[in-house]
């Protein structure tokens, strides 16, 4: 049963990575590239979120969740907390690649604004759903299981990595989605989330980044003047790591 779950979650991630190749790109200015809105881009995140939402009430999906939990608790003894760190790896890779000279689609300012925007959208959505759904975690530790914040963060970063580097090589995006899929699997493996939580988190993460790219031209126009390329700005960014809430300070140059 757990092997079937691994395959299903991996399929979610692989399907997402491959399907993103149909995204259309438009050049906004010499340093900023952003996605054109295309309703087809909503299909994958909508399916994932829909699966998770339907799973809140569907007896069949709830039963499947519990079958997975029974398999996990029966066959797996040791927890691996790598998901606490892997959730941030795809987004961090964008800055690491730039540091090593592999330039992405946008400059430092624009990609940072996009990342902060997508994180704000993702965190607000995840925390809002957690506060109203009150789904108990598989390990019974709390009632904020739906959706998975770790998974949402990882898939948000995977989509960010994909959008910044898909013109360089599709393998950057595939690698990011592989890490995000692994993060989701470890949330199930560690008995912290149901499959429906992970699916919804993945969809929210992908959609948050897409929205951030769509609205970035308007945000950039409001935040920066045309001659402010060399100026800096500061932002407050909320974060949630599954147990703790907080605010992060981001200074964009």
């Amino acid at each position: 049963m757990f092997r079937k779950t691994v395959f299903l979650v991996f399929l979610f991630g692989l399907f997402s990575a491959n399907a993103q190749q149909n995204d259309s790109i438009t050049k906004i200015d010499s340093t900023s590239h952003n996605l054109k809105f295309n309703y087809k881009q909503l299909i994958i995140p909508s399916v994932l979120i829909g699966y998770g939402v339907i799973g809140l009430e569907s007896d069949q999906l709830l039963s499947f969740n519990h079958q997975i939990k029974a398999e996990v608790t029966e066959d797996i003894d040791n927890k691996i907390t790598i998901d606490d760190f892997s959730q941030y790896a795809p987004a961090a890779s964008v800055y690491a690649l730039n540091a090593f000279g592999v330039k992405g689609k946008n400059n430092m300012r624009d990609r940072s604004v996009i990342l902060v925007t997508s994180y704000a959208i993702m965190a607000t959505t995840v925390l809002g759903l957690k506060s109203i759904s009150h789904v108990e975690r598989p390990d019974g530790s709390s009632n904020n299981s739906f959706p998975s914040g770790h998974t949402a963060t990882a898939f948000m970063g995977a989509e960010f990595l994909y959008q910044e580097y898909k013109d360089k090589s599709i393998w950057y995006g595939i690698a990011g989605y592989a890490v995000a899929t692994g993060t989701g699997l470890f949330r199930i493996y560690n008995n912290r989330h149901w499959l429906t939580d992970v699916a919804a988190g993945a969809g929210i993460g992908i959609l948050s980044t897409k929205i951030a790219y769509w609205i970035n031209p308007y945000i950039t126009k409001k935040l920066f003047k045309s001659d402010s390329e060399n100026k800096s700005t500061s932002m407050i960014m909320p974060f949630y790591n599954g147990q703790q809430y907080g605010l992060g300070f981001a200074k964009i140059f």
Side-chain angles (χ1 to χ4, degrees):
M1 177 62 68
F2 188 66
R3 285 194 293 270
K4 292 181 180 178
T5 305
V6 170
F7 175 76
L8 181 58
V9 177
F10 177 77
L11 190 62
F12 281 158
L14 186 60
F15 182 52
S16 298
N18 288 335
Q20 306 307 324
Q21 296 182 58
N22 293 323
D23 288 343
S24 55
I25 301 296
T26 183
K27 186 173 182 179
I28 301 302
D29 56 40
S30 60
T31 57
S32 177
H33 299 71
N34 300 276
L35 283 171
K36 286 182 179 178
F37 176 78
N38 185 332
Y39 73 91
K40 292 181 180 179
Q41 298 168 23
L42 299 175
I43 295 175
I44 293 171
S46 295
V47 169
L48 293 171
I49 296 170
Y51 179 86
V53 172
I54 292 172
L56 294 174
E57 299 294 337
S58 169
D59 291 338
Q60 184 175 1
L61 295 182
L62 288 172
S63 176
F64 186 48
N65 278 344
H66 284 279
Q67 290 177 46
I68 296 170
K69 169 184 164 59
E71 187 76 15
V72 168
T73 55
E74 178 181 355
D75 296 337
I76 299 175
D77 297 324
N78 298 319
K79 293 184 177 181
I80 302 176
T81 58
I82 191 174
D83 45 309
D84 288 335
F85 306 98
S86 64
Q87 60 176 320
Y88 303 113
S93 297
V94 173
Y95 293 90
L97 287 168
N98 272 269
F100 283 102
V102 185
K103 300 301 181 183
K105 190 178 301 297
N106 290 292
N107 62 21
M108 173 68 79
R109 185 200 72 183
D110 292 322
R111 67 171 173 267
S112 297
V113 171
I114 290 169
L115 180 60
V116 170
T117 303
S118 60
Y119 198 98
I121 294 170
M122 180 275 296
T124 301
T125 304
V126 167
L127 295 177
L129 289 173
K130 283 180 179 293
S131 68
I132 64 177
S133 60
H134 301 294
V135 176
E136 185 178 26
R137 291 182 182 270
D139 61 3
S141 61
S142 61
N143 293 320
N144 62 349
S145 188
F146 181 87
S148 170
H150 282 63
T151 307
T153 300
F155 275 85
M156 177 203 73
E159 178 67 11
F160 178 54
L161 176 62
Y162 170 77
Q163 293 297 340
E164 287 297 309
Y165 284 98
K166 67 179 182 178
D167 292 335
K168 295 284 186 180
S169 173
I170 188 63
W171 290 104
Y172 290 115
I174 291 176
Y177 269 97
V179 172
T181 300
T183 300
L185 287 174
F186 275 114
R187 298 308 286 165
I188 298 173
Y189 178 96
N190 290 327
N191 204 27
R192 293 290 290 165
H193 281 290
W194 310 100
L195 176 60
T196 45
D197 302 337
V198 169
I204 291 168
I206 295 170
L207 186 59
S208 296
T209 298
K210 288 187 180 296
I211 293 173
Y213 274 91
W214 292 333
I215 66 177
N216 184 60
Y218 306 100
I219 293 178
T220 300
K221 185 177 179 180
K222 293 292 185 182
L223 290 178
F224 307 102
K225 296 180 180 179
S226 59
D227 60 348
S228 61
E229 179 69 23
N230 294 323
K231 295 182 180 180
S232 63
T233 187
S234 301
M235 293 185 180
I236 301 296
M237 180 173 64
F239 72 85
Y240 174 68
N241 63 12
Q243 295 179 332
Q244 299 170 322
Y245 304 87
L247 293 173
F249 177 78
K251 189 173 183 64
I252 303 169
F253 297 92

